[in-house]
Amino acid sequence: MKTTSMSSKIDVVTQYYKPTGPDDKTLIFESRFESGNLLAAIKISDNEYDLVLQNDINTNGHTQWFFYRVTGGMPGQRVRFNIINLAKPDSLYNYGMKILCFSNKQKAETNIGWHRVGDNISYYQNDFKKEQGNFYNRTFFTLTFTHVFKDENDSQFFAHCFPYTYSDLQDDMSRIEKDSYCSNFYHRSTLCRTLAGNKCEYITITSRDKDPNSAKAMNKKGVFISARVHPGESNSSWMMKGIIEFLISNTPEAKALRDHFVFKIVPILNPDGVINGNYRCSLSGQDLNRRWKNPSRVLHPVIFNVKRVMRVFSKERELMLYCDLHGHSRRKNIFMYGNTLKDTPHATRVFPYIMSKLCDFFSFE
């Protein structure tokens, strides 16, 4: 994790609420920063707050990702937070998962960044009805947890999963680009612009051949990897970060892979959603993972252009694997979904099977 405090990334904004005096113990909430999501905080008492999440932009729901800051907590103060408009019917919070927290003071004093916190964690169906068109049906779900503040004048952040922002990606790619060692096999390109005008970038990693038309160069196989089509699945970005860091390393395995494969990588497929703190959709209000079959050049420019690049790439060389990285809010372990080839039904199971033998956390079943 970076050693800077989280607040250094946040623009100065006007507080919605200012304490009325020294006896006012109201906590101050903020989410107007990159990837932040919190619509409202409702004070029940000095030690309890109901929190409402912002819908994905241009949608009526998809509330699951949260990322907000709290200031004003006093040492020893125990506060219950109730996030009352979550969408999923179940969660890993009911199976031992805790809340992620980042304390600026703790980072400065002990160098501990994001860590798990929370007591009395529970996830359950509540009585608040969802509005769907002109009909009211189905209810929301509540995530409730208690947190004890340790320091005065601290800023603490709470998140659904380890945040990895669009700016984090830009920092990582720029750092790699400046590394002279990586210049021989790392190339950064722009795939397209998003609806909001943000760059969707992709990188190519492969050893540079003296003769690009040689048999060795032409016989390299292709591998395509992407992540973060769902903005709230930030764990997929940390998996992607690990893949990239490994592929650019000087280990014998990484060198062998660069010599035999051409890797095309799109680290963030949905930059707009990531920036705006969406959980599942792009700014068009659509789940881009449901637009692969017939994407619009205008409404789904990233998916449209990924397919375009894929077609060209598959004509240049044999494409061995396309792996799209996701997260899951209700499943444990690492696992794969895959298409079945009618003529060779076991072919798509070979890679997951190998993974299950190499990684104890991978579930082939």
Side-chain angles (χ1 to χ4, degrees):
M1 291 292 182
K2 295 182 176 67
T3 56
T4 56
S5 71
M6 287 293 296
S7 295
S8 65
K9 296 181 177 182
I10 299 174
D11 295 331
V12 176
V13 294
T14 303
Q15 284 183 194
Y16 281 122
Y17 181 84
K18 294 183 179 180
T20 57
D23 295 330
D24 188 348
K25 298 179 181 179
T26 303
L27 299 180
I28 307 300
F29 292 80
E30 185 57 71
S31 66
R32 289 171 292 175
F33 47 81
E34 187 177 3
S35 295
N37 188 311
L38 180 66
L39 177 64
I42 304 162
K43 184 177 180 180
I44 308 301
S45 71
D46 283 343
N47 297 311
E48 184 171 8
Y49 293 80
D50 284 349
L51 308 180
V52 180
L53 301 183
Q54 172 68 51
N55 291 340
D56 278 13
I57 294 172
N58 291 319
T59 78
N60 291 322
H62 302 291
T63 44
Q64 206 72 21
W65 167 261
F66 59 88
F67 183 18
Y68 60 91
R69 182 185 68 190
V70 178
T71 55
M74 300 301 293
Q77 183 180 5
R78 177 179 289 271
V79 178
R80 173 167 289 279
F81 298 106
N82 310 307
I83 303 177
I84 62 176
N85 67 326
L86 293 164
K88 294 291 185 72
D90 197 8
S91 171
L92 289 173
Y93 291 118
N94 277 337
Y95 305 93
M97 188 168 78
K98 291 195 168 187
I99 315 301
L100 277 159
C101 177
F102 185 104
S103 161
N104 278 344
K105 278 206 169 181
Q106 197 166 5
K107 180 65 177 178
E109 294 172 1
T110 66
N111 202 33
I112 294 175
W114 286 99
H115 57 286
R116 298 283 181 179
V117 300
D119 297 315
N120 302 314
I121 299 172
S122 184
Y123 189 98
Y124 56 89
Q125 188 173 11
N126 59 39
D127 295 326
F128 298 110
K129 299 290 185 180
K130 294 181 180 180
E131 180 181 357
Q132 297 187 352
N134 295 323
F135 301 95
Y136 290 80
N137 56 10
R138 301 177 61 185
T139 61
F140 287 105
F141 296 81
T142 294
L143 167 65
T144 181
F145 65 97
T146 58
H147 176 69
V148 179
F149 290 88
K150 295 181 179 180
D151 298 295
E152 194 173 1
N153 299 321
D154 190 15
S155 291
Q156 296 197 15
F157 296 78
F158 299 90
H160 175 60
C161 191
F162 291 93
Y164 186 92
T165 66
Y166 181 75
S167 293
D168 288 331
L169 174 64
Q170 299 302 308
D171 290 345
D172 283 342
M173 290 198 296
S174 296
R175 170 179 52 81
I176 296 170
E177 201 171 28
K178 293 174 183 177
D179 189 330
S180 58
Y181 174 75
C182 298
S183 62
N184 293 319
F185 50 78
Y186 176 92
H187 182 71
R188 180 179 176 183
S189 307
T190 298
L191 178 73
C192 64
R193 292 278 182 172
T194 65
L195 290 180
N198 295 303
K199 279 186 180 181
C200 180
E201 297 184 271
Y202 73 98
I203 56 179
T204 303
I205 298 176
T206 189
S207 57
R208 189 170 296 174
D209 299 287
K210 293 181 180 179
D211 181 5
N213 296 316
S214 66
K216 178 187 175 184
M218 299 301 291
N219 286 333
K220 285 184 178 179
K221 310 296 184 182
V223 175
F224 206 105
I225 311 174
S226 59
R228 211 71 184 277
V229 69
H230 294 142
E233 297 171 6
S234 59
N235 42 0
S236 67
S237 280
W238 291 105
M239 293 174 68
M240 176 64 83
K241 179 180 173 71
I243 289 172
I244 294 172
E245 295 289 347
F246 170 71
L247 289 176
I248 64 171
S249 69
N250 59 3
T251 64
E253 295 86 351
K255 292 177 180 178
L257 286 171
R258 295 195 298 264
D259 287 341
H260 291 87
F261 294 91
V262 178
F263 293 88
K264 298 284 186 182
I265 297 174
V266 186
I268 293 182
L269 283 167
N270 191 347
D272 293 348
V274 170
I275 291 168
N276 285 281
N278 281 5
Y279 175 65
R280 195 164 183 87
C281 299
S282 70
L283 294 192
S284 67
Q286 296 173 305
D287 182 345
L288 296 181
N289 204 43
R290 302 293 182 267
R291 293 292 176 265
W292 287 102
K293 188 173 182 179
N294 189 27
S296 163
R297 182 195 292 266
V298 176
L299 293 178
H300 324 116
V302 174
I303 304 301
F304 181 91
N305 283 283
V306 166
K307 290 187 71 174
R308 175 183 59 81
V309 170
M310 280 275 289
R311 289 191 189 98
V312 174
F313 191 41
S314 62
K315 290 178 181 178
E316 291 176 353
R317 61 193 72 253
E318 182 182 357
L319 188 60
M320 296 295 292
L321 173 71
Y322 182 0
C323 188
D324 187 35
L325 305 177
H326 288 254
H328 206 289
S329 64
R330 290 174 286 175
R331 300 273 186 195
K332 297 180 182 179
N333 302 310
I334 306 170
F335 55 92
M336 289 189 184
Y337 293 148
N339 299 320
T340 297
L341 303 176
K342 292 181 179 180
D343 296 333
T344 54
H346 292 92
T348 50
R349 301 182 185 183
V350 172
F351 184 63
Y353 184 74
I354 294 172
M355 286 286 291
S356 69
K357 298 301 180 183
L358 295 175
C359 178
D360 292 337
F361 300 107
F362 191 96
S363 172
F364 181 74
E365 290 74 18

